[in-house]
Amino acid sequence: MFNKILEFTQNKTEYLYENSLFLQNIDKLIFASIIAVFLASTVMSSDVIGFIALITVFLTVVKLLTKRGEKLNCYNFELWLLAYFMIVIISLAGSTLFSLSLKGFFKTFTYLAFYASTVQYLKNNKEKTPLLLGTIGVCVGFEAIIGFLQNFAHVSEISTWQDVSNLNPEQIMTRVYGTLKPLNPNLLGGYFVAGIPAVYGLSAYFLNNKKIKFACITLGLALLSTITLFLTGCRGSYIGMMVIMAGMFAVSAKFLWQNYKQIYLSLIGGVIALGTFAVLLSSSLRARVLSIFAMRQDSSNSFRFNVYQSSVEMFKDNWLLGIGIGNKNFREIYGLYMKTGFDALSAYNIFLEIAVESGIFALIAYLGFLIILIKDAVKFILKSTDTNAVIFVATALISICAVSIHGLVDTVFFRPQIQFVFWTMTAIARAFIKLI
């Protein structure tokens, strides 16, 4: 039905499209607006980033209505995503705090509409994928350089970012936070988890295309970004980085295992040894890593456990449709369940957050989307003989998996800087996957 409406409007506006300089160059404008979203993410507020994303959405709608041949279609994992969005709308309608939930809904709409716009753009512009990844890589590199310099400047904490009650002075880490707003090392760590795969992916892409100079530059930038990730002190991003490394080794086995088995195994062993040595060498990093396993003895861990318990109780009381989407809505309702002195902005787990905000069926729909996307991407990586396409899909898949695993213990997933990278990676995977 939608495609018939689009065909009707395209026929009516055909003359306008063929004689309009603006419409003839609308793909260039869409691409520029997508790039602007990533660039703005490094220094601008959430409202500004969202506004630029809506420009991308607006331009895409204009293109759909005027350019002959443009159509909408859904892959099977997108049907699950559509189901999730429809359930969110129902949850919004049933929310007791409708006005607050409406704000959260607009954010979700912006993210998903940006995803749909990026998908529509990449349908006929797959060759722009390296430029999209390159832009993300430049932004990640910029944050890596800033964060690396902040470490040597020993920037002070803006708020209480780590439990130092049981630490010696030499074990207290200078947690870097870059330029992302609001300034927070966990946000920077999550941003690195989402974006670092793009830098490693670009290095592999340049290497595959015999551009050794660019491959070396991007690999150096990727290593610097990895180092800076650990300087954030974000323990969730440490876990995410482990997922990234595991994903890269798993994908590289497709190309190296048969002919370079010894080199491949030596490389894995070397990376593990280097990582272990780095943790043992730095007392502050060692203390930060070990605090992951401190359970209730670490105040940050204890805080999260309290939030999890309260959020589960919220879900039990609102399991069908949730409380309504949005962190402001969550905070209002959470006040009725929280343990004294443990206020929270979110559930600190993206899947629990979805369940609390929009109910059990929204969680099922989102998990369905994620599982089928991962399954189709893995199938493509295993069967495709197009090395560049495999690199792009693998890059997207590793980013998506790493962000999702990081999201089990943190809430920065819902920040626009990470959301727009996540949905762009999903769009890249969608553009190349050929369902079998």
Side-chain angles (χ1 to χ4, degrees), residues 8 185 212 260 350:
F8 174 79
I212 306 302
Y260 305 97
I350 60 176

Side-chain angles (χ1 to χ4, degrees), residues 380-397:
F380 178 85
I381 291 169
L382 292 175
K383 294 190 176 184
S384 177
T385 57
D386 184 341
T387 304
N388 281 340
V390 169
I391 290 171
F392 295 146
V393 173
T395 296
L397 177 62

Side-chain angles (χ1 to χ4, degrees), residues 127-304:
E127 73 281 0
K128 297 294 186 182
T129 301
L131 291 177
L132 287 180
L133 293 178
T135 303
I136 295 172
V138 167
C139 294
V140 168
F142 169 76
E143 291 298 333
I145 293 171
I146 295 297
F148 196 73
L149 294 175
Q150 286 177 341
N151 178 68
F152 287 102
H154 298 289
V155 291
S156 58
E157 295 182 353
I158 297 176
S159 60
T160 306
W161 286 336
Q162 59 183 322
D163 184 357
V164 299
S165 57
N166 297 316
L167 298 179
N168 295 323
E170 69 273 8
Q171 293 178 312
I172 299 175
M173 173 179 281
T174 298
R175 299 189 62 186
V176 304
Y177 45 80
T179 64
L180 305 180
K181 301 184 185 313
L183 301 176
N184 187 308
N186 286 351
L187 174 57
L188 181 60
Y191 183 71
F192 281 140
V193 169
I196 281 177
V199 194
Y200 280 109
L202 275 174
S203 182
Y205 168 77
F206 287 132
L207 183 63
N208 182 58
N209 289 275
K210 305 296 188 294
K211 299 179 180 179
I212 306 302
K213 180 180 178 181
F214 290 108
C216 291
I217 292 173
T218 50
L219 179 60
L221 200 59
L223 294 175
L224 176 63
S225 301
T226 301
I227 293 170
T228 309
L229 178 148
F230 283 96
L231 296 178
T232 66
C234 174
R235 297 169 298 174
S237 70
Y238 295 174
I239 298 171
M241 192 63 223
M242 296 304 103
V243 175
I244 292 172
M245 299 304 295
M248 289 194 300
F249 283 131
V251 174
S252 62
K254 174 183 172 74
F255 306 101
L256 300 177
W257 182 259
Q258 187 172 358
N259 298 319
Y260 305 97
K261 182 178 178 180
Q262 293 301 322
I263 296 176
Y264 174 77
L265 293 175
S266 299
L267 182 62
I268 293 177
V271 170
I272 293 174
L274 182 62
T276 303
F277 177 73
V279 171
L280 294 176
L281 184 66
S282 172
S283 59
S284 60
L285 181 59
R286 183 173 65 252
R288 194 65 184 158
V289 171
L290 291 177
S291 71
I292 297 174
F293 309 100
M295 305 304 285
R296 286 282 187 179
Q297 295 179 4
D298 181 85
S299 63
S300 180
N301 294 348
S302 183
F303 167 75
R304 279 168 168 76

Side-chain angles (χ1 to χ4, degrees), residues 397-414:
L397 177 62
I398 291 169
S399 175
I400 291 166
C401 290
V403 168
S404 298
I405 296 299
H406 178 205
L408 291 172
V409 293
D410 214 329
T411 188
V412 291
F413 172 77
F414 295 100

